[in-house]
């Protein structure tokens, strides 16, 4: 498992993730590259893999890579990459989405990423992700998705454990088995 020291910068973690993932060419998405986040900004950066164990998806391997920041003006910027592999290794889906919202509280990041219209075969696809940075312990991820609706999906932050509609099934927590994430909240001088 790849872990990053808390004393390193978020930019260094992103560079390490990109370097670690570049030799496998989509065997795992790397954290998307971009500018270094401003000092004191809320950020989430990293790439990790987990394995679903829900009905109809048992054994599916999921890779999520993200670099997202809430700037001083409270705007959110970021990219999200995903890869979904069936148990036999066949790629079911892969692509990118734009991060539209990021909320960081302590070691927990909740973000929303929307696949731009015209990118990929699915319409109105949104990812709602919660990452719990485990520090020296494995990170944990919770995700929910929406797709093929007639309306664009919500772009605001929705915690997939606590803020989905009541009729939505409960979302399980998955430990990150490879890779990892760094979550950093706003610091005040």
């Amino acid at each position: 498992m790849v872990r990053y020291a808390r004393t390193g910068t978020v930019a260094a973690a992103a560079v390490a993730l990109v370097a670690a993932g570049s030799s496998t060419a989509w065997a795992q998405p790397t954290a998307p590259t971009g500018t270094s986040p401003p000092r004191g900004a809320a950020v989430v950066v990293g790439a990790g893999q987990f394995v679903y164990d829900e009905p109809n998806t048992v054994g599916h391997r999921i890779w999520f890579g993200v670099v997202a920041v809430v700037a001083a003006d409270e705007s959110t910027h970021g990219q999200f990459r995903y890869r979904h592999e069936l148990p036999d290794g066949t790629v079911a889906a892969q692509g990118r989405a734009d991060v539209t919202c990021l909320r960081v509280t302590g070691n927990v990041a909740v973000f929303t990423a929307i696949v731009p219209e015209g990118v990929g075969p699915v319409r109105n696809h949104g990812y709602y992700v919660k990452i719990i940075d485990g520090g020296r312990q494995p990170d944990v991820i919770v995700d929910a998705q929406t797709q093929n609706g007639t309306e664009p999906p919500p772009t605001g932050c929705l915690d997939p454990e606590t803020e989905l509609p009541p009729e939505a099934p409960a979302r399980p927590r998955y430990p990150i088995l490879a890779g990892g994430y760094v979550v950093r909240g706003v610091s005040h001088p």
Side-chain angles (χ1 to χ4, degrees), residues 14-173:
V15 169
L17 285 165
V18 170
S22 63
S23 64
T24 56
W26 270 105
Q28 65 186 42
T30 57
T33 58
T35 59
S36 297
R39 194 166 191 73
V43 298
V44 60
V45 61
Q49 179 203 27
F50 61 99
V51 179
Y52 279 142
D53 66 0
E54 300 168 63
N56 301 319
T57 59
V58 172
H60 290 217
R61 291 182 304 274
I62 310 299
W63 286 95
F64 285 160
V66 63
V67 171
V69 61
V70 176
D73 67 358
E74 297 186 15
S75 62
T76 299
H77 307 279
Q79 288 288 305
F80 176 73
R81 295 186 189 269
Y82 57 90
R83 181 178 173 96
H84 179 153
E85 295 178 359
L86 302 177
D88 67 4
T90 303
V91 176
Q94 71 180 18
R96 69 169 183 83
D98 298 322
V99 177
T100 59
C101 176
L102 170 63
R103 187 172 64 211
V104 174
T105 305
N107 67 329
V108 178
V110 172
F111 66 90
T112 297
I114 305 298
V115 177
E117 198 62 36
V119 174
V122 183
R123 290 185 45 92
N124 295 323
H125 196 102
Y127 290 92
Y128 304 91
V129 181
K130 179 180 199 171
I131 294 174
I132 302 166
D133 182 341
R136 295 188 185 277
Q137 301 299 314
D139 297 338
V140 175
I141 195 165
V142 182
D143 76 307
Q145 299 177 45
T146 182
Q147 64 186 21
N148 288 330
T150 57
E151 300 292 321
T155 59
C157 286
L158 295 173
D159 183 326
E161 282 189 301
T162 62
E163 297 176 327
L164 294 181
E167 66 275 7
R171 301 301 306 144
R173 288 183 170 197

